[in-house]
Amino acid sequence: MIRDTGYLFQGMKKITTLGVALALFASVFVSSCGGQKESNPFGATGAPSSLVVVLPDSLFNASVKDSVRAVFASPVFVLPQVEPMQDVIFTPESKFTSMFSAMRNILMVTVDPALYTRPSVNVVRDHFATGQVILHARSESLESLYTLLRVRGKQLSKFLYKEEIKRWGDILEGTYSSKFAKVVEDSIGGVTMNVPAEMDYIETGKDFVWTSNMDQRKRMDIVVYTFPYRDKNTFTVDYLIHKRDSVMAANIKGQYEGSYMSTEKGVKPSFDGFEDRGAYTAEVRGLWAMEGDMMGGPFVMHAVVDSGGKRVVVCEAFVYAPGEKKRNLLLYPEAALWTMRPAGSDFKTHTFEEVAKDSVPPEND
């Protein structure tokens, strides 16, 4: 049973939510279809995780729309309730006006046997507006388009999700809590990170730092902690969750006697390993729950071996928003995880792999 009700952690206080950063995302800027760009870095319009799909008039039908939705509106993993990876809006090519051309994420579909011999995807940035990403999906036939969606759809949807994290990362490059960055450097040692400036509640423990915005309605939390590196088996979902549960139980208590944070056992967390700035990083996504209380929500964890090779450094974001959607709320603190870096190093976030720009291979390649 996923818990998502209105109790508070011990010592909570209510403050304003997301501040200036949300105001930036909520703003709508005008950009012309002819390609004129505004000077504001968020000149592209539209809500986070929204996607405009431009279809040829001849393919503007339920079958094609359903195939696109199956890819880009598939559920986010892991959340307490079903939310799509992207909120998809369709328009026929003949009605692709300036209202749509300024949107932050656009998928433009072209099917033309005279121009193409196989499916391909290209990425174009800032064409109609600053901060915009356009995916051009091209194919020679409708069946080939379906193959493209089937073979590369998950990659394309994940790419757009990470683009949203990049946008939040750009905010964190200029506006962040310098106090928390200093506490991490002093308490954890060897690393630092940028977190949202409104996360002004800070607690420390043994090899542990915790910050929060303490908002009762849309709460964001980030923790950083370490434990000794054992061997390559350290980087398994079971071991990382085992360490997570022991650290959280010791450091994050609920409002009732004996209550503490744990990992929700009813949903198996996901695991992904990748290289970021030359270091192997394990990413775990799952649901947290408060044992002995009625709270819960999603979390994202990044774990990496530090430069000395003797300890694992973990940074984790989790959110709490009872009765509210959580996909977009998680994006902002999740972006902060990508800012963790050796203390004293230059700021550099979101080194994500670009979507392939060349032809898409057959499904059995």
Side-chain angles (χ1 to χ4, degrees):
M1 181 72 175
I2 305 305
R3 287 161 279 194
D4 186 19
T5 57
Y7 296 104
L8 305 179
F9 287 157
Q10 185 179 28
M12 272 193 181
K13 58 179 179 176
K14 184 175 182 180
I15 66 170
T16 56
T17 178
L18 299 197
V20 176
L22 266 187
L24 282 172
F25 261 177
S27 298
V28 176
F29 304 32
V30 178
S31 180
S32 73
C33 189
Q36 181 180 352
K37 303 173 186 176
E38 298 296 318
S39 59
N40 192 290
F42 286 89
T45 65
S49 302
S50 60
L51 172 66
V52 171
V53 179
V54 185
L55 297 174
D57 288 42
S58 61
L59 298 180
F60 198 75
N61 57 60
S63 178
V64 176
K65 290 180 185 179
D66 287 346
S67 296
V68 173
R69 283 195 195 96
V71 170
F72 294 98
S74 60
V76 177
F77 190 81
V78 179
L79 294 179
Q81 71 277 1
V82 176
E83 295 185 52
M85 287 288 287
Q86 282 84 36
D87 298 318
V88 181
I89 305 167
F90 292 95
T91 182
E93 190 174 4
S94 60
K95 295 183 179 180
F96 182 59
T97 62
S98 58
M99 178 180 70
F100 292 114
S101 66
M103 295 292 281
R104 66 199 306 120
N105 302 312
I106 299 175
L107 171 66
M108 304 194 75
V109 175
T110 305
V111 176
D112 191 337
L115 294 176
Y116 311 112
T117 60
R118 62 181 301 176
S120 64
V121 177
N122 282 79
V123 180
V124 176
R125 296 182 181 276
D126 305 329
H127 183 68
F128 297 114
T130 304
Q132 179 184 70
V133 170
I134 301 177
L135 297 176
H136 287 275
R138 301 173 174 126
S139 67
E140 78 285 6
S141 68
L142 182 57
E143 286 304 314
S144 184
L145 173 65
Y146 289 151
T147 299
L148 172 64
L149 293 173
R150 186 170 60 251
V151 177
R152 288 292 183 263
K154 185 176 181 180
Q155 179 193 18
L156 296 173
S157 183
K158 188 175 181 180
F159 170 77
L160 292 178
Y161 182 87
K162 289 183 174 179
E163 282 298 307
E164 297 296 354
I165 295 177
K166 283 185 180 182
R167 291 172 177 126
W168 283 118
D170 289 340
I171 293 176
L172 289 172
E173 185 169 3
T175 304
Y176 62 95
S177 171
S178 58
K179 179 181 178 181
F180 181 77
K182 183 66 165 56
V183 170
V184 170
E185 290 183 34
D186 293 342
S187 299
I188 301 299
V191 297
T192 190
M193 67 185 300
N194 296 23
V195 305
E198 55 267 41
M199 300 178 78
D200 62 353
Y201 173 84
I202 299 175
E203 267 194 32
T204 61
K206 180 175 171 30
D207 300 320
F208 179 87
V209 181
W210 170 26
T211 186
S212 176
N213 70 341
M214 288 296 182
D215 190 297
Q216 296 183 29
R217 191 171 66 91
K218 293 185 177 181
R219 176 168 168 167
M220 305 181 300
D221 292 74
I222 290 175
V223 297
V224 183
Y225 58 90
T226 70
F227 57 85
Y229 176 67
R230 187 180 61 175
D231 54 37
K232 64 180 181 180
N233 294 320
T234 297
F235 286 90
T236 64
V237 65
D238 289 340
Y239 189 78
L240 289 172
I241 292 299
H242 166 72
K243 296 302 293 187
R244 176 187 192 273
D245 284 345
S246 64
V247 170
M248 295 303 192
N251 291 280
I252 299 186
K253 307 294 185 179
Q255 68 170 350
Y256 299 117
E257 182 70 26
S259 60
Y260 58 90
M261 177 177 278
S262 181
T263 303
E264 178 66 51
K265 303 303 189 293
V267 177
K268 184 175 177 59
S270 69
F271 179 92
D272 186 25
F274 53 87
E275 190 165 300
D276 178 41
R277 287 164 282 185
Y280 177 80
T281 301
E283 180 182 270
V284 177
R285 294 176 178 270
L287 298 177
W288 63 271
M290 189 64 71
E291 297 294 336
D293 205 335
M294 293 292 291
M295 296 181 68
F299 74 85
V300 182
M301 169 204 297
H302 284 189
V304 62
V305 179
D306 72 0
S307 57
K310 294 183 178 180
R311 63 175 187 166
V312 177
V313 181
V314 176
C315 55
E316 176 184 322
F318 55 93
V319 299
Y320 175 67
E324 302 284 342
K325 294 182 178 180
K326 299 168 182 64
R327 178 197 63 192
N328 289 346
L329 180 63
L330 186 58
L331 285 168
Y332 195 17
E334 183 178 349
L337 305 187
W338 291 89
T339 73
M340 191 174 73
R341 61 200 184 277
S345 64
D346 292 337
F347 181 96
K348 183 181 180 184
T349 61
H350 44 66
T351 54
F352 303 127
E353 180 182 356
E354 185 82 323
V355 171
K357 296 182 174 63
D358 299 324
S359 297
V360 175
E363 193 168 3
N364 60 357
D365 276 15

